[in-house]
Amino acid sequence: FNPRTRAVSLAPTRVKQAEVNLYYLAMSLKILKETRRESQFSLDPKGTISDERQVKAFYPAYLANTVFGEVLFQADYTLKQLSFGEGTRPVKGMMSIFELMEQSGSTEPLQSRQWFVISNSGVRKTADGVVCPFVEMGVSARRIEQGPDGKYQDAPMTSDRDASVQYAQAFTRNFGAIADAVPEIGELREMGRAMVLARYLLEQGAGLDVAIASKFAAVVVGDKAR
């Protein structure tokens, strides 16, 4: 990145930590430029608690059916699977939420939500102007309860002893190993790095080629970028 001309140039690298997915970067630039905030995904109940159906909620909404949105969905779904103890465990000895409940002797029904967070991030710049984003990610959790309208809402308080919180803390401690072993989580980490770099470039005044960003945004699940 040239701060004088505000131009961004691409360079090949064999260093994994310096790689950036260009599709994720272009989409991140577009999202931040248009909405001034990061993308978001959640799997929400369609109606009241008694309704077991769920809907995909994207922000911005146009992420639905895009590769970018699919990465967000797959990471969220995989987090839920791993927390329930489904599939192969990427970290030996890491207990599921149900095992943590059993260990604590809790018989109270557990209703909670979990989501990914960026706990630390930044951009390192070399003497010759090469910018490399870094990101540390984790998981947060909170109890939910039935509200007056019959829908879920956040509980006023969530104890640190709550099984969902303990699982989120364990996932955060092992995030690097999990991302290395689980492709869906690894892709989310790469997306996070691209979002960090995109914010940095925009804050530094780098221009955005709308035509290129729009071309990437048109890619839907099953298509290939041309």
Side-chain angles (χ1 to χ4, degrees):
F1 174 70
N2 187 323
R4 183 177 61 83
T5 62
R6 298 179 181 178
V8 181
S9 303
L10 304 179
T13 180
R14 295 182 179 179
V15 180
K16 179 67 176 177
Q17 292 76 10
E19 294 177 356
V20 176
N21 184 298
L22 295 183
Y23 168 69
Y24 296 161
L25 178 60
M27 283 295 291
S28 296
L29 286 167
K30 174 180 170 63
I31 293 167
L32 290 172
K33 187 76 171 179
E34 293 177 349
T35 68
R36 299 182 183 275
R37 53 166 285 188
E38 285 79 7
S39 56
Q40 181 177 320
F41 169 81
S42 61
L43 200 57
D44 297 339
K46 189 171 184 178
T48 62
I49 291 179
S50 59
D51 189 345
E52 296 183 354
R53 293 174 298 173
Q54 294 181 311
V55 294
K56 299 177 182 179
F58 293 95
Y59 183 87
Y62 60 70
L63 291 180
N65 298 321
T66 66
V67 173
F68 198 94
E70 184 67 12
V71 171
L72 294 173
F73 163 66
Q74 290 294 339
D76 183 84
Y77 189 75
T78 299
L79 171 61
K80 290 177 172 58
Q81 286 183 309
L82 293 174
S83 69
F84 293 156
E86 298 179 8
T88 303
R89 303 191 186 197
V91 176
K92 184 178 181 180
M94 185 171 166
M95 292 187 287
S96 68
I97 286 180
F98 298 127
E99 290 169 325
L100 289 167
M101 291 177 64
E102 183 178 357
Q103 184 184 63
S104 66
S106 174
T107 57
E108 180 184 1
L110 176 62
Q111 295 175 321
S112 65
R113 65 184 182 93
Q114 295 180 314
W115 65 97
F116 292 103
V117 296
I118 293 179
S119 55
N120 186 31
S121 65
V123 172
R124 299 185 178 97
K125 188 174 180 180
T126 65
D128 56 351
V130 177
V131 289
C132 300
F134 69 89
V135 64
E136 296 176 6
M137 300 185 68
V139 173
S140 289
R142 187 164 188 172
R143 269 190 175 265
I144 54 177
E145 61 185 17
Q146 184 174 3
D149 58 357
K151 297 182 179 180
Y152 283 115
Q153 65 179 26
D154 286 341
M157 186 196 74
T158 303
S159 170
D160 289 340
R161 297 189 298 274
D162 191 277
S164 64
V165 173
Q166 292 181 343
Y167 183 82
Q169 292 172 343
F171 200 107
T172 298
R173 288 193 300 270
N174 294 285
F175 194 95
I178 295 173
D180 290 341
V182 182
E184 294 84 352
I185 308 301
E187 285 300 308
L188 182 71
R189 181 175 59 183
E190 292 308 303
M191 184 179 290
R193 294 179 67 250
M195 186 67 72
V196 168
L197 180 57
R199 179 171 289 281
Y200 170 83
L201 293 175
L202 291 176
E203 289 175 348
Q204 297 301 310
L208 171 63
D209 190 321
V210 178
I212 293 179
S214 297
K215 180 180 179 180
F216 276 105
V219 179
V220 299
V221 177
D223 282 354
K224 293 183 180 179
R226 296 178 177 84

